[in-house]
């Protein structure tokens, strides 16, 4: 039986590492096939047309084939758009990629999330540091919801009682959303959590999430970081550790 072949597949490179002296193994996020591994034969050669194209945070169309766990890349085409980000934006882009690598299983399509990721990458490339935080919080919430790791944000998780708009609540790793105590610094009002849930339910995608996250991005940061680390099975994500080390220099 002939191996299956696919062409014109929208994709982004999440990570790449050496496979041989001349080839690469790529982890890519594709729209219709989800996260997958590809071998790019000869991509490290100076004469390879693939060498300047297979970069992270750049929109690509890929052709590939095979039925093994690691498929073979046939061709790649850069689809244009934004330039490669730098500084904080580049680190934020690598952070997005680490989250996708950690939380999405291979060969599990998430076309809606792919479209959100593409929008977020384009926004990240042109954002200043303060605006980046809002974009990252919005993507974190959408990714957690997509992977089934986010509880409903308009009810207390353990009791399923609706939130009181004037009360304060916190999101904790194993208990979900609960009433805040005096020790909980970054709690949000019930009406703010409800607004976030409404944005998640909105068919408008990313735009409503950005609006809902803008006034509460700082308060969400620590809560979402703890939840993401928990579900990624790490104490600290590698890109986060890199950011901390750079800030300490």
């Amino acid at each position: 039986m002939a191996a299956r072949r696919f062409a014109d597949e929208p994709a982004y490179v999440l990570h790449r590492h050496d496979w041989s002296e001349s080839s690469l193994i790529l982890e890519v996020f594709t729209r219709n096939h989800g996260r997958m591994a590809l071998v790019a034969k000869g991509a490290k050669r100076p004469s390879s047309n693939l060498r300047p194209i297979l970069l992270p945070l750049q929109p690509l169309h890929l052709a590939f084939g095979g039925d093994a766990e690691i498929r073979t890349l046939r061709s790649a085409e850069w689809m244009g758009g934004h330039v490669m980000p730098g500084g904080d934006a580049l680190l934020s882009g690598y952070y997005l990629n680490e989250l996708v690598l950690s939380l999405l299983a291979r060969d599990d399509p998430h076309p809606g999330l792919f479209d959100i990721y593409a929008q977020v990458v384009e926004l990240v490339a042109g954002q200043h540091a303060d605006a980046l935080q809002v974009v990252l919080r919005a993507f974190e919430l959408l990714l957690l919801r997509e992977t089934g790791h986010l509880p409903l944000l308009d009810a207390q998780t353990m009791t399923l009682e609706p939130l009181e708009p004037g009360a304060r609540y916190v999101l904790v790793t194993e208990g979900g959303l609960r009433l805040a105590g005096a020790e909980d610094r970054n709690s949000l009002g019930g009406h703010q959590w409800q607004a976030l849930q409404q944005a998640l339910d909105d068919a408008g995608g990313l735009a409503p999430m950005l609006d809902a996250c803008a006034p509460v991005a700082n308060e969400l940061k620590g809560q979402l970081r703890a939840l993401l680390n928990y579900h990624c099975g790490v104490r600290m994500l590698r890109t986060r550790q890199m950011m901390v080390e750079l800030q300490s220099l």
Side-chain angles (χ1 to χ4, degrees):
M1 184 180 295
R4 292 183 298 170
R5 294 194 174 193
F6 303 91
D8 295 323
E9 177 64 21
Y12 286 84
V13 173
L14 299 173
H15 183 67
R16 45 185 271 178
H17 62 267
D18 295 342
W19 183 54
S20 65
E21 290 185 2
S22 62
S23 302
L24 295 169
I25 295 292
L26 308 173
E27 287 283 353
V28 299
F29 186 22
T30 69
R31 189 178 193 279
N32 299 301
H33 303 274
R35 182 171 74 85
M36 60 194 313
L38 301 174
V39 56
K41 295 181 179 178
K44 292 170 59 182
R45 293 176 182 148
S47 59
S48 174
N49 293 329
L50 294 174
R51 187 172 181 177
I53 293 176
L54 298 176
L55 300 174
L57 309 176
Q58 296 296 310
L60 306 174
H61 273 192
L62 305 181
F64 56 90
D67 295 307
E69 182 180 0
I70 300 178
R71 298 169 176 86
T72 301
L73 180 68
R74 304 294 182 186
S75 66
E77 180 183 1
W78 181 56
M79 300 311 295
H82 57 268
V83 299
M84 193 72 174
D88 289 340
L90 180 60
L91 286 174
S92 295
Y94 286 151
Y95 171 71
L96 296 173
N97 288 353
E98 187 175 4
L99 289 180
V100 173
L101 276 168
S102 300
L103 291 177
L104 294 189
R106 279 185 180 169
D107 301 311
D108 184 15
H110 294 270
L113 183 66
F114 178 91
D115 293 341
I116 294 291
Y117 172 89
Q119 295 176 59
V120 167
V121 166
E122 187 171 356
L123 284 174
V124 162
Q127 296 294 319
H128 297 294
D130 292 341
L132 281 172
Q133 297 304 314
V134 176
V135 177
L136 294 178
R137 298 297 84 76
F139 183 75
E140 288 167 351
L141 284 166
L142 288 163
L143 177 61
L144 285 165
R145 192 271 303 273
E146 182 76 11
T147 53
H149 296 313
L150 188 70
L152 290 174
L153 300 181
D154 56 3
Q156 295 189 60
T157 303
M158 300 302 291
T159 65
L160 298 182
E161 294 181 3
L163 303 189
E164 295 291 338
R168 308 288 296 183
Y169 300 87
V170 291
L171 184 62
V172 295
T173 53
E174 296 185 4
L177 203 60
R178 62 162 174 78
L179 272 170
E183 71 283 1
D184 296 311
R185 295 183 181 180
N186 293 319
S187 61
L188 274 68
H191 67 287
Q192 293 171 316
W193 288 114
Q194 290 167 339
L196 290 169
Q197 184 62 53
Q198 290 172 2
L200 286 167
D201 294 337
D202 195 309
L206 182 60
M209 285 306 307
L210 294 174
D211 290 340
C213 287
V216 294
N218 289 335
E219 291 82 359
L220 280 173
K221 186 175 183 178
Q223 298 176 74
L224 293 181
R225 181 185 299 163
L227 190 59
L228 287 161
N229 289 347
Y230 177 80
H231 289 295
C232 291
V234 297
R235 182 177 179 183
M236 181 182 292
L237 291 165
R238 286 176 292 176
T239 44
R240 172 61 185 161
Q241 180 65 45
M242 188 185 304
M243 292 178 187
V244 171
E245 291 173 356
L246 288 173
Q247 290 169 357
S248 66
L249 293 177

